[in-house]
Amino acid sequence: MHEINHDQFVFSFSAKHNPILRVQSGDQVVIRTQDCFSGQIQNDDDLVSSIDYSRINPVTGPIYVEDAEPGDILKVEIQRITVGEQGVITTLPNIGTLIHQSEIRTKTVPIMEGKTIALTDRIKFACSPMIGVIGVAPAEGEVACGHPGVHGGNLDSSCIAEGAVVYLPVFVTGALFGLGDLHASMGDGEMCGTGIEIDGEVEVRLTLLKRGSFSLPTPVVETKDAWYVISSDHEILKAIRKASEFTQLLLSERWRIDMTDAYLLMGAVGDIQLSQCCKPCPVETVVRVKMQKLPGMPCLFGA
Ligand code: CA
Ligand code: ZN
């Protein structure tokens, strides 16, 4: 089992970053992460207006996967997520639909016995950890960790939780994988701009699926009960269309039905879900199309 600490981080996904670890396909890694504010907010008096915004969304990594080549698929099994003892949730300037009638406010929240989040003395809810930022280096240039894309990045999708498998397209040699931005809880859409932001530890297994007949144009997540195709765009309808198009193609190819039958199936049991829709342009909205697993449904990738 490899281990990497939260002090080995980057603020963008890019082939220019030197890997901090090299692994073989099938290896497991424990990845420790800082929260999305790089720990700059420790109590309720620390407002987002006073922190250094160049240190937002650190991702621990990148990890070089031996033999990974463009066109491969990186399978990331999320085997465990353990979050820290205190999280923080804040409003953000100019972010979200209600900021015009809300204050800039920081709330630090204890995670009681690793299970319960106490927003106030009276308002409590379950801790349900998930990963906000997960991805690989894009084909060219660099993408700040606060942005989503076909390489992954800031997907903020609640389905990326313990037990899920994330499939990412590989664009550069070695893949250059990283993750960060854990949430102890985050509602779909991340309405106020943050979830319960927190540091923590994630155990993953990284497995390479070598280039096959099928190439992956966008991140896909598998859970016990469903498949999710994730896409992003500046316009929500375009994001929905992109995710829907790939879902239709996957269903058609894997279930050997024509595109129209796939479309009908999507209408009957598919769900359009919002991952992230709190950001103004030019930051993208992230959506996912969920297809519940049906009896006899073929596996979409690998085994
Ligand atoms: Ca995020
Ligand atoms: Zn976050």
Side-chain angles (χ1 to χ4, degrees):
M1 180 88 73
H2 306 274
E3 290 184 32
I4 50 176
N5 274 324
H6 56 54
D7 57 352
Q8 297 188 287
F9 57 86
V10 287
F11 291 110
S12 64
F13 288 94
S14 172
K16 74 174 188 179
H17 297 307
N18 290 324
I20 57 165
L21 175 71
R22 297 176 93 91
V23 302
Q24 304 285 336
S25 174
D27 282 1
Q28 287 169 282
V29 191
V30 172
I31 301 170
R32 301 197 180 89
T33 62
Q34 307 184 58
D35 70 24
C36 73
F37 299 116
S38 298
Q40 294 180 87
I41 296 181
Q42 288 299 326
N43 60 65
D44 293 2
D45 298 330
D46 297 332
L47 297 180
V48 286
S49 41
S50 62
I51 64 172
D52 178 357
Y53 260 74
S54 69
R55 290 169 55 205
I56 295 288
N57 280 320
V59 150
T60 305
I63 299 171
Y64 185 102
V65 182
E66 300 287 355
D67 299 327
E69 292 295 336
D72 295 343
I73 296 170
L74 184 64
K75 175 184 181 184
V76 185
E77 293 168 80
I78 314 294
Q79 300 181 310
R80 176 175 61 83
I81 305 177
T82 306
V83 295
E85 293 175 352
Q86 175 177 285
V88 59
I89 185 161
T90 73
T91 50
L92 298 173
N94 303 317
I95 298 274
T97 47
L98 302 177
I99 191 62
H100 64 288
Q101 52 193 34
S102 305
E103 298 171 4
I104 294 300
R105 181 173 298 168
T106 291
K107 222 179 241 302
T108 50
V109 295
I111 313 295
M112 296 151 65
E113 296 170 348
K115 286 189 190 132
T116 306
I117 299 167
L119 189 68
T120 70
D121 289 343
R122 288 189 301 126
I123 304 174
K124 295 174 183 155
F125 47 93
C127 179
S128 55
M130 47 81 71
I131 300 168
V133 178
I134 183 167
V136 294
E140 49 192 42
E142 71 181 304
V143 182
C145 293
H147 289 261
V150 292
H151 70 292
N154 191 19
L155 299 178
D156 279 337
S157 297
S158 54
C159 57
I160 305 180
E162 198 169 277
V165 182
V166 182
Y167 297 90
L168 297 165
V170 173
F171 296 102
V172 304
T173 303
L176 299 177
F177 171 79
L179 63 78
D181 185 29
L182 301 187
H183 302 129
S185 181
M186 192 202 95
D188 280 352
E190 202 179 30
M191 280 186 262
C192 77
T194 58
I196 306 290
E197 308 294 333
I198 197 160
D199 58 355
E201 190 174 283
V202 181
E203 190 178 309
V204 297
R205 182 192 297 279
L206 300 174
T207 307
L208 212 50
L209 307 180
K210 291 305 288 180
R211 177 194 271 279
S213 56
F214 211 84
S215 68
L216 187 62
T218 196
V220 171
V221 176
E222 180 184 10
T223 64
K224 190 163 69 66
D225 305 315
W227 291 93
Y228 299 84
V229 173
I230 302 178
S231 286
S232 57
D233 197 278
H234 301 289
E235 291 178 42
I236 187 166
L237 288 175
K238 284 188 185 163
I240 291 171
R241 174 167 294 173
K242 281 192 240 178
S244 304
E245 282 173 348
F246 186 51
T247 305
Q248 183 188 30
L249 189 65
L250 274 181
L251 291 171
S252 167
E253 294 222 350
R254 293 295 159 133
W255 227 345
R256 299 195 190 150
I257 53 179
D258 73 14
M259 294 289 265
T260 303
D261 270 355
Y263 193 26
L264 299 179
L265 176 60
M266 291 164 69
V269 298
D271 294 317
I272 293 166
Q273 300 183 334
L274 285 172
S275 293
Q276 163 69 268
C277 67
C278 64
K279 304 287 174 60
C281 281
V283 180
E284 300 87 343
T285 292
V286 184
V287 306
R288 56 188 192 267
V289 169
K290 174 186 179 184
M291 289 303 299
Q292 58 173 278
K293 287 183 176 173
L294 301 175
M297 186 180 192
C299 192
L300 297 197
F301 302 104

